[in-house]
């Protein structure tokens, strides 16, 4: 979005000299540190860079600062202890702000008390896949096999406590089955073992799995979004087999508590303009995601996801600090 376009959009929406526009403009030329809890090149980092490219310069100059480690705790702790001046922001996610506090006793931050939500960015569902030659030709067939014989079905993930792992455990709970979980050091290693037939299935982001589905090495059994995805209209939503099943991850922007409302509002306006950029929306669709409203109540999402994933963790007796 060009500067002139941003000014026109903001004036039309906010009525010329709105305090929100003044707040956004007042940061022009300032550096805004955009802290990303994961390494460069991953899915979350890709979202950050897509949004940063469309972030209006009038609202500041975003500088991405990758701070991976401890499931996102390193980055979240850094932001929660940063000056509350609107110049340090966090790319928050389901993994960092919901699952990590549930499973990692070393987490000292409270996402609801120590952070202020600014704007929603994107929702990213998962794809459940098996090898192309698998006898499990549908999700129903896979779950029936799992229910028929204990430990007859195996699934992989990038590690205990990852969202990918918990999606598999949610399927196990809903199927009333006992499956074998095989943790790996990364999604790519798990995917290779699915393709090779060493494990039966896995869930993962579309960026990782879709190429292998498209070239025929993997078979897509379902998507974890509430409804089918436009990028894979032929693949059923798991909710068509298991009503109410939904396991999308979300990403949003947060700042430290006590950040002035004027700074929060200015950043909210700026991120809303970035998320509504058609180019950003198209990139999100290509990633298998969908833009969510910048006005989404992220605090409510944290609460509802903590309840959902907490139930999965409890049902499957996953212990704190078993994460790897």
């Amino acid at each position: 979005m060009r500067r002139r376009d941003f000014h026109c959009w903001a004036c039309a929406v906010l009525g010329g000299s709105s305090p929100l526009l003044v707040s956004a403009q007042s940061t022009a030329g300032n550096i805004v540190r955009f802290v990303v809890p994961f390494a460069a090149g991953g899915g979350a980092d890709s979202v950050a860079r897509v949004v940063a490219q469309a972030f209006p310069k009038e609202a500041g100059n975003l500088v991405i600062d990758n701070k991976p480690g401890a499931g996102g705790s390193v980055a979240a702790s850094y932001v929660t202890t940063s000056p509350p001046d609107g110049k340090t922001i966090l790319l928050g996610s389901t993994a960092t702000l919901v699952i990590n506090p549930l499973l990692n006793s070393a987490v000292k931050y409270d996402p609801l008390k120590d952070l202020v939500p600014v704007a929603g960015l994107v929702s990213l569902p998962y794809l459940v896949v098996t090898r192309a030659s698998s006898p499990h030709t549908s999700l129903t067939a896979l779950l029936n096999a799992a229910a028929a014989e204990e430990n007859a079905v195996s699934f992989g993930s990038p590690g205990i406590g990852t969202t990918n792992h918990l999606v598999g455990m949610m399927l196990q709970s809903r199927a009333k089955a006992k499956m074998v979980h095989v943790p790996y050091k990364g999604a790519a290693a798990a995917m290779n073992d699915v393709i090779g037939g060493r494990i039966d299935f896995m869930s993962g982001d579309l960026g990782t799995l879709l190429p292998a589905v498209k070239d025929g090495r993997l078979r897509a059994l379902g998507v974890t979004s509430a409804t089918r995805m436009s990028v894979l209209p032929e693949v059923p939503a798991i909710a068509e087999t298991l009503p109410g099943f939904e396991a999308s991850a979300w990403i949003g922007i947060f700042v430290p508590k006590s950040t002035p409302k004027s700074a929060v509002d200015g950043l909210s306006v700026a991120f809303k303009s970035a998320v509504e950029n058609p180019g950003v929306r198209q990139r999100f669709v290509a990633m298998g995601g969908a833009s969510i409203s910048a006005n989404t109540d992220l605090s409510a999402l944290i609460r509802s996801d903590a309840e959902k994933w907490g139930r999965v963790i409890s049902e499957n007796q996953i212990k704190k600090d078993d994460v790897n």
Side-chain angles (χ1 to χ4, degrees):
M1 180 175 285
R2 299 187 300 274
R3 294 187 180 189
R4 183 182 61 206
D5 294 336
F6 173 74
H7 281 303
C8 293
W9 172 84
C11 289
V13 173
L14 300 174
S17 59
S18 163
L20 302 190
L21 178 56
V22 172
S23 174
Q25 288 177 321
S26 68
T27 63
N30 289 341
I31 298 297
V32 179
R33 188 176 299 278
F34 194 4
V35 181
V36 177
F38 304 101
D45 178 72
S46 298
V47 168
R49 293 178 188 277
V50 166
V51 172
Q53 289 174 359
F55 190 81
K57 297 300 182 183
E58 290 82 358
N61 297 310
L62 284 188
V63 176
I64 293 178
D65 183 3
N66 295 95
K67 289 187 178 297
S73 294
V74 171
S77 297
Y78 176 84
V79 173
T80 57
T81 56
S82 294
D85 53 12
K87 295 182 180 179
T88 303
I89 63 177
L90 174 71
L91 188 81
S93 68
T94 311
T96 300
L97 300 184
V98 177
I99 295 172
N100 209 27
L102 286 172
L103 285 175
N104 187 349
S105 61
V107 169
K108 303 304 181 185
Y109 58 85
D110 184 327
L112 294 173
K113 295 179 179 178
D114 298 329
L115 293 166
V116 176
V118 172
L121 298 182
V122 65
S123 174
L124 296 163
Y126 293 91
L127 190 63
V128 174
V129 298
T130 187
R131 70 184 184 277
S133 61
S134 170
H136 310 305
T137 56
S138 67
L139 182 68
T140 298
L142 177 76
L143 297 182
N144 285 345
E149 182 180 349
E150 185 173 311
N151 295 329
V153 171
S154 59
F155 71 96
S157 81
I160 297 172
T162 60
T163 313
N164 314 64
H165 169 221
L166 295 183
V167 167
M169 300 309 279
M170 185 186 291
L171 285 170
Q172 173 175 274
S173 294
R174 292 294 300 270
K176 295 180 172 54
K178 178 64 176 176
M179 298 188 282
V180 177
H181 171 236
V182 183
Y184 291 80
K185 291 186 177 180
M191 182 185 74
N192 288 337
D193 272 6
V194 174
I195 292 171
R198 288 174 284 277
I199 55 176
D200 292 300
F201 78 97
M202 68 176 291
S203 70
D205 63 87
L206 270 72
T208 299
L209 300 178
L210 191 55
V213 172
K214 294 292 189 182
D215 68 19
R217 289 177 293 158
L218 290 174
R219 175 189 296 138
L221 298 180
V223 293
T224 64
S225 49
T227 58
R228 296 192 184 205
M229 300 173 60
S230 60
V231 70
L232 284 171
E234 72 282 4
V235 178
I238 293 174
E240 295 175 31
T241 301
L242 301 172
F245 192 103
E246 192 278 328
S248 297
W250 52 262
I251 294 176
I253 303 297
F254 294 78
V255 292
K257 69 177 181 180
S258 302
T259 298
K261 185 176 184 300
S262 58
V264 175
D265 289 343
L267 287 167
S268 180
V269 168
F271 276 105
K272 182 176 182 180
S273 75
V275 171
E276 291 181 347
N277 183 296
V280 170
R281 290 179 178 272
Q282 290 172 6
R283 291 288 299 278
F284 284 168
V285 169
M287 293 177 187
S291 300
I292 60 178
S293 170
N295 299 322
T296 296
D297 188 340
L298 296 177
S299 294
L301 274 180
I302 290 173
R303 292 187 187 94
S304 63
D305 274 8
E307 180 180 349
K308 174 170 65 180
W309 293 121
R311 186 165 55 250
V312 171
I313 289 167
S314 176
E315 289 174 348
N316 293 282
Q317 300 180 335
I318 304 169
K319 297 179 182 178
K320 267 195 174 186
D321 302 325
D322 276 350
V323 293
N324 59 356

